[in-house]
Amino acid sequence: MKRYFLILVTLLSSLATFAQEQTEIDTVIITLRNGSEVRYTTDQFDRVQIIYNLKYGVKVYLKNGKSKDYLAVKVEVAEYQGGGQVVTDTNRNRNLYRAKLLEYPHLAADSTMNQLIIKSTDEYGITFSLEWSYADKANRWTCYQMHSGNNMKNVSRSNDPWTTDTEIPVQYRTYKSDYTNSDNISKGHLCPSQDRLCSLSQNEQTFFMSNIQPQWQLHNGGIWLRLENLIRPWSQQCDTLYVVKAATITPDKVYDYKLNDKLLIPKYFYMAVLAYDKSTNTYQAMGLWTYHEKKTDSNTNYGDYAITIDELERRTGIDFFCNLPDNIEEDVESKINLKYWGIKKSSQ
């Protein structure tokens, strides 16, 4: 007998508690609020992810290697029938607000002094998300996804960069002018321009000052650029690469000084990456940690920068990939498979 269940994707369901379960299905029927209907059968999809938040309602992993996202605000009803697999995730440390996609770190506890900002376009969905610290007037982290649906190179880099982010209250914003007389400190992207070339509007969003951290140009155009180039192909060897990029902004290990008495100059820059392989339904995770120096770092043994996500969390105090089910999170964050990532240490 076929198992059948019905889920109403509404605002209330964005606050629902997840339950870790697997249910056999063979048909997905999504009714949109405009009255249209979308159907998928098991010959078309491998897996369905129900994501209860204000941005995404249903994610369908297709057999052609792509995936389709259906926004909760556009979904009226999602129905599933028969054999297949649908997974809903739950854990103890998940985000309870909008930041429920897998790339999001845990939001800061003091929501009155930190702001979640989500940049998106109608055609390509979320460009990136970030958390802005009012107290530090700095980016706490930027996160985004890389997959076949947003890896296209349709446009060139924007010619009108460095835009003040007006979503941030005036007293907490940063400006292009803050970099005047910067002594070789550049405006360093967190979500790179090169990773968002699907459309001009998408690329322009990467130039919001909220997505920028002050970097010594020798770091920004050196080891940081090489690490960005390193991880970009990883998104082509997995279904989805979930990326977090940030720098240390907390007082205990933050910066050597403030540029123009305004901008924090971090001591460390880092990345956290999580790869999901649909064919094996498995995850791999790793942190990359760099010392922010005004000198050239020519090391190409990138395993020297690799640390576990557990260690990255210890160093930063940030809970990464908190929206994974607890058993998966605990496993992937405690180890690194350098062979999977194709990198090695100097000693190897």
Side-chain angles (χ1 to χ4, degrees), residues 151-337:
N151 278 339
M152 294 82 77
K153 310 298 182 187
N154 298 326
V155 299
S156 300
R157 181 183 172 104
S158 169
N159 291 320
D160 187 25
W162 319 125
T163 305
T164 299
D165 195 333
T166 57
E167 288 192 55
I168 300 171
V170 172
Q171 66 270 35
Y172 303 124
R173 296 174 188 170
T174 56
Y175 301 86
K176 178 182 177 181
S177 60
D178 293 339
Y179 287 80
T180 303
N181 301 320
S182 63
D183 187 28
N184 293 316
I185 290 177
S186 62
K187 296 176 281 292
H189 283 79
L190 293 175
C191 177
S193 164
Q194 186 66 20
D195 287 349
R196 291 296 183 255
L197 295 173
C198 291
S199 68
L200 182 59
S201 58
Q202 185 196 53
N203 185 258
E204 288 173 341
Q205 289 178 344
T206 69
F207 288 91
F208 276 111
M209 297 303 297
S210 55
N211 182 48
I212 303 301
Q213 281 279 15
Q215 282 195 60
W216 295 114
Q217 180 53 33
L218 289 175
H219 182 275
N220 186 35
I223 184 59
W224 189 253
L225 176 62
R226 298 204 312 277
L227 289 176
E228 288 180 332
N229 291 337
L230 175 73
I231 75 170
R232 196 166 286 123
W234 292 347
S235 66
Q236 299 171 12
Q237 68 185 39
C238 64
D239 176 73
T240 304
L241 187 70
Y242 302 93
V243 182
V244 185
K245 294 182 182 175
T248 52
I249 64 169
T250 51
D252 58 337
K253 56 181 68 175
V254 55
Y255 49 87
D256 295 318
Y257 67 98
K258 287 187 177 183
L259 175 63
N260 296 325
D261 200 33
K262 294 180 179 179
L263 301 175
L264 307 182
I265 308 303
K267 281 188 178 180
Y268 304 95
F269 276 78
Y270 60 89
M271 306 178 184
V273 291
L274 174 73
Y276 173 66
D277 287 307
K278 182 176 63 177
S279 60
T280 57
N281 194 27
T282 58
Y283 295 86
Q284 298 280 346
M286 177 176 62
L288 294 166
W289 181 264
T290 69
Y291 185 50
H292 185 216
E293 299 180 278
K294 188 181 179 181
K295 69 177 187 180
T296 300
D297 180 346
S298 58
N299 185 10
T300 57
N301 292 305
Y302 298 116
D304 294 342
Y305 306 94
I307 58 176
T308 65
I309 298 299
D310 281 346
E311 175 62 18
L312 185 61
E313 292 177 340
R314 187 190 67 78
R315 296 184 187 187
T316 63
I318 296 176
D319 184 0
F320 298 95
F321 309 125
C322 63
N323 295 323
L324 280 170
D326 285 340
N327 61 324
I328 297 176
E329 181 183 3
E330 291 168 4
D331 179 54
V332 301
E333 293 187 354
S334 64
K335 60 190 179 183
I336 305 173
N337 182 350

Side-chain angles (χ1 to χ4, degrees), residues 30-38 70-77:
I30 302 170
T31 303
L32 303 178
R33 296 193 178 186
N34 63 9
S36 62
E37 183 180 275
V38 183
Y70 294 91
L71 301 179
V73 294
K74 295 184 178 181
V75 175
E76 185 66 35
V77 173

